[in-house]
Amino acid sequence: MRIRDTGDLWWKNAVVYCLDVETYLDWDDDGVGDFPGLLQRIDHLADLGVTCLWLMPFYPTADLDDGYDVTDFLGVDPRLGDVGDVVELVRTARDRGIRVVVDLVVNHTSDRHPWFRSARRSTSSPYRDFYVWRRDEPPSTKDQVVFPDEEDGIWTLDDATGEWYRHRFYSHQPDLNTANPAVRDAIAKTIGFWLELGIAGFRVDAVPFALSDVASRPGDDIDDPHDFLRTLRAFVSRRSGEAVLMGEVNLPYEDQARYFGDATPGDGESSTEVSELTLQFDFNAMQAMYLSLARADTGPLATALRSRPAIPRDAQWATFVRNHDELTLDKLTPAERQEVFDAFGPEESMQLYGRGLRRRLPPMLDGDPRRVRMVYSLLFSLPGTPVLYYGEEIGMGENLDAHGRLAVRTPMQWSPERHGGFSRAPARRFPTPLPGDGWAPEHVNVADQRRDPDSLLSFVRLLTHRYRECPELGWGTPEVLDQPEAAVLAQRTTWQEASMVTVHNLSPDPVVVELSLGDLPQGTRLVDLLGHEDCEPGADGEAQVRLDGYGFRWLRVEEPGLRRLL
């Protein structure tokens, strides 16, 4: 196995950790997290096994959409620090083996951005064409709204000029017109600026929306919207050979595959290099996973994994359990979505936009530690690059009293002290309120779990380290194994001579799983990487694997003569 290959495409087996600077640690005690605070916790991330830190927007903002309403793409919100603090973070993180990726918000700006302020003053403004306008009154667009509880349509009348501007998200976030070459140049300038400061790539927000206007009018210098994405990919590669574009593309698999670039269908992979996005979040498998959890039946997840399309060789799926938005279930049928609602969010206050949940995983699973650990073991064993959302490593809960998606964006809980060690400022100054009841900091925090070898934090640390020791999980060709237990997902992932079998039980009932692994050399063992129960397959490759209720096993296929560390 050529371990050296894993250093070339670092994202193939990275451990990604997403956080919002303003909710991580407040170092100057003004009530808002900041870069100096994050810097003080970089060793927590290094100890956890994180190799890639994804920062949610930290740019100057009107702060009406948790930072996604940007007023300056080339700056830092003064509440959080300055550009020098970003440089210090990047340098210190690199010293710990952690690359830093930042959010790239290219679909819209804040309506307080200087571009839009100029654009709305006059139809002859040089920035007028940076946005999308129409003179005639639009028809009803209620069915096109991303946030149906917040907006009635995607067009708003601007009184100053008597024209309507488009906003697919909030009315205070006018859409950028990516059909305008000047806008595309501004996006490239933004990318170039942050790459020059040592950023290792970008999580690209709402990619399909950002491409919607490219090549939309006669005379545009781009014929296909994906040409723009290919141009950005080429620009990033010229400026930094190792930088990634990690895209938010919530589409069916057949549509999602296009955003990686051209791929030659084959045995689960392609011989081509990435020409568009380097990684894409696997929303389809995530939603299928929750349906499988609700049913205690792995059928939906197994079907999703088998349906993954061929992707370029150097591309990767980003797998996740939770992110900063609502837990969207939009790819499920209404009946399937209701099953998940009934299981994990039966109260209306737990649901959002009629399509998702605003809850974190542990409360959804009633705090059952067996089930929570099984799900995170499943996450790290799925073929792809795992992405953790801050607080998942300690099992943080949500605060349903917070507005909308802010329920899962509460301050990080560092200690059992007042305010969870997040800040010494009055709680009224915090971006969001802390969770209460059994999920309050006195019950869930980093300090207590760091000293407990049986804590969730210790377990997630074990998973990250085992995952990094098993590059086949990021690089290999996955196979969902046939076996008779509906509640069990068995996978085998192979890369070169390295091979892993992972088995997860979604049911509370113990089970013995019969696996058929094909021809194996005599003396082959299945080495348990998370416990001490190795298996000896028979001469015909048959193996019996015992699982507790909500049990899981990571079994390395260890053939005689291999020299891997066990």
Side-chain angles (χ1 to χ4, degrees):
M1 183 172 60
R2 296 191 299 273
I3 291 294
R4 66 179 184 273
D5 292 350
T6 63
D8 294 332
L9 307 180
W10 61 267
W11 55 88
K12 294 277 280 187
N13 63 328
V15 176
V16 182
Y17 186 97
C18 170
L19 63 84
D20 187 349
V21 176
E22 76 167 2
T23 57
Y24 209 59
L25 181 63
D26 173 20
W27 200 245
D28 61 5
D29 291 321
D30 64 352
V32 178
D34 45 46
F35 276 102
L38 171 54
L39 201 56
Q40 293 296 324
R41 292 294 183 261
I42 202 70
D43 286 328
H44 167 71
L45 301 180
D47 180 62
L48 182 60
V50 171
T51 63
C52 178
L53 173 59
W54 157 24
L55 301 180
M56 291 169 61
F58 53 79
Y59 314 108
T61 173
D63 203 26
L64 298 177
D65 184 24
D66 205 23
Y68 283 90
D69 48 334
V70 179
T71 60
D72 180 4
F73 292 116
L74 304 180
V76 174
D77 191 309
R79 299 174 305 154
L80 312 182
D82 55 32
V83 173
D85 291 317
V86 176
V87 171
E88 290 303 307
L89 172 67
V90 170
R91 179 184 180 279
T92 307
R94 280 276 183 172
D95 178 65
R96 272 66 169 179
I98 301 173
R99 292 171 170 87
V100 178
V101 168
V102 302
D103 247 294
L104 182 67
V105 185
V106 295
N107 177 68
H108 52 257
T109 69
S110 166
D111 61 1
R112 301 182 196 176
H113 194 291
W115 297 343
F116 192 70
R117 284 184 165 178
S118 172
R120 73 190 319 174
R121 280 196 293 264
S122 169
T123 57
S124 61
S125 164
Y127 292 102
R128 184 72 173 183
D129 200 31
F130 269 49
Y131 299 91
V132 182
W133 301 86
R134 63 182 298 160
R135 295 178 180 177
D136 56 315
E137 183 172 353
S140 174
T141 53
K142 191 173 181 64
D143 60 334
Q144 300 178 44
V145 171
V146 173
F147 303 127
D149 293 355
E150 306 282 348
E151 300 287 346
D152 295 327
I154 66 170
W155 294 93
T156 290
L157 178 64
D158 183 55
D159 293 333
T161 59
E163 293 186 356
W164 282 260
Y165 65 87
R166 195 186 68 198
H167 52 88
R168 298 190 185 275
F169 292 84
Y170 296 109
S171 58
H172 59 78
Q173 292 172 332
D175 290 352
L176 282 168
N177 175 20
T178 52
N180 184 348
V183 171
R184 298 198 289 266
D185 286 345
I187 292 170
K189 180 181 178 180
T190 299
I191 290 172
F193 175 80
W194 292 109
L195 289 177
E196 230 17 62
L197 296 184
I199 295 301
F202 304 88
R203 178 264 186 185
V204 190
D205 185 55
V207 179
F209 290 114
L211 297 190
S212 62
D213 291 312
V214 182
S216 64
R217 61 186 183 184
D220 191 6
D221 59 356
I222 288 183
D223 296 325
D224 176 0
H226 285 263
D227 288 342
F228 175 43
L229 199 50
R230 284 187 281 271
T231 299
L232 285 184
R233 172 71 260 171
F235 177 77
V236 168
S237 297
R238 289 197 305 273
R239 293 295 179 94
S240 173
E242 70 163 17
V244 300
L245 293 177
M246 181 167 59
E248 181 191 29
V249 183
N250 183 14
L251 295 173
Y253 276 138
E254 59 268 25
D255 299 321
Q256 194 173 2
R258 287 199 64 201
Y259 289 81
F260 282 119
D262 297 330
T264 304
D267 296 329
E269 62 176 318
S270 161
S271 60
T272 62
E273 296 182 354
V274 173
S275 61
E276 295 185 37
L277 295 174
T278 320
L279 301 98
Q280 288 186 59
F281 293 96
D282 192 347
F283 284 93
N284 294 278
M286 180 275 292
Q287 297 183 47
M289 181 193 72
Y290 278 98
L291 182 58
S292 284
L293 290 172
R295 293 177 174 177
D297 181 346
T298 62
L301 178 55
T303 298
L305 294 174
R306 286 174 170 141
S307 301
R308 278 180 170 180
I311 64 175
R313 178 197 60 208
D314 295 350
Q316 183 64 298
W317 295 104
T319 57
F320 64 105
V321 166
R322 199 62 182 87
N323 64 10
H324 59 289
D325 288 329
E326 77 277 8
L327 196 162
T328 184
L329 303 167
D330 63 322
K331 296 298 177 290
L332 303 182
T333 67
E336 292 170 339
R337 190 178 308 124
Q338 190 60 49
E339 286 185 67
V340 179
F341 282 167
D342 291 343
F344 302 130
E347 299 176 20
E348 188 174 345
S349 64
M350 299 173 177
Q351 302 167 16
L352 198 61
Y353 309 135
R355 64 171 184 252
L357 292 166
R358 57 192 206 104
R359 308 195 71 195
R360 282 186 179 253
L361 179 74
M364 283 194 283
L365 302 183
D366 299 321
D368 187 335
R370 302 171 303 161
R371 226 174 162 191
V372 171
R373 294 180 188 219
M374 181 272 294
V375 172
Y376 284 111
S377 171
L378 178 60
L379 167 66
F380 278 86
S381 71
L382 292 175
T385 297
V387 181
L388 290 170
Y389 184 50
Y390 79 94
E392 284 192 281
E393 72 270 31
I394 58 172
M396 275 174 50
E398 73 274 351
N399 188 331
L400 294 175
D401 291 333
H403 177 69
R405 297 180 293 175
L406 296 179
V408 298
R409 301 178 185 181
T410 57
M412 183 65 179
Q413 298 170 199
W414 294 107
S415 73
E417 300 169 351
R418 185 168 179 262
H419 302 332
F422 165 71
S423 174
R424 288 177 290 194
R428 66 178 182 275
R429 298 182 185 173
F430 294 180
T432 51
L434 285 154
D437 299 326
W439 307 104
E442 56 263 35
H443 304 294
V444 180
N445 65 77
V446 173
D448 289 345
Q449 295 194 27
R450 278 174 61 84
R451 296 170 176 82
D452 181 0
D454 296 321
S455 67
L456 179 61
L457 176 59
S458 296
F459 177 70
V460 174
R461 184 189 298 122
L462 173 65
L463 288 177
T464 64
H465 286 269
R466 289 291 181 267
Y467 172 81
R468 293 284 291 170
E469 293 168 358
C470 302
E472 57 266 42
L473 292 176
W475 287 69
T477 301
E479 175 190 7
V480 178
L481 300 176
D482 291 325
Q483 48 78 38
E485 303 295 336
V488 172
L489 182 71
Q491 301 176 92
R492 183 172 183 179
T493 309
T494 302
W495 179 54
Q496 298 174 5
E497 72 270 21
S499 187
M500 286 274 295
V501 174
T502 57
V503 192
H504 291 80
N505 181 12
L506 275 59
S507 162
D509 301 320
V511 66
V512 176
V513 183
E514 303 278 350
L515 297 179
S516 180
L517 304 178
D519 294 334
L520 296 172
Q522 187 173 3
T524 296
R525 290 187 303 152
L526 301 181
V527 179
D528 194 330
L529 298 184
L530 299 180
H532 306 283
E533 298 183 42
D534 296 354
C535 298
E536 297 281 348
D540 55 359
E542 301 293 319
Q544 290 189 338
V545 178
R546 264 190 275 273
L547 293 173
D548 294 332
Y550 301 124
F552 47 88
R553 306 279 293 279
W554 288 27
L555 303 169
R556 175 173 286 160
V557 181
E558 191 67 22
E559 298 182 2
L562 293 182
R563 302 178 65 182
R564 300 184 72 181
L565 288 173
L566 302 179

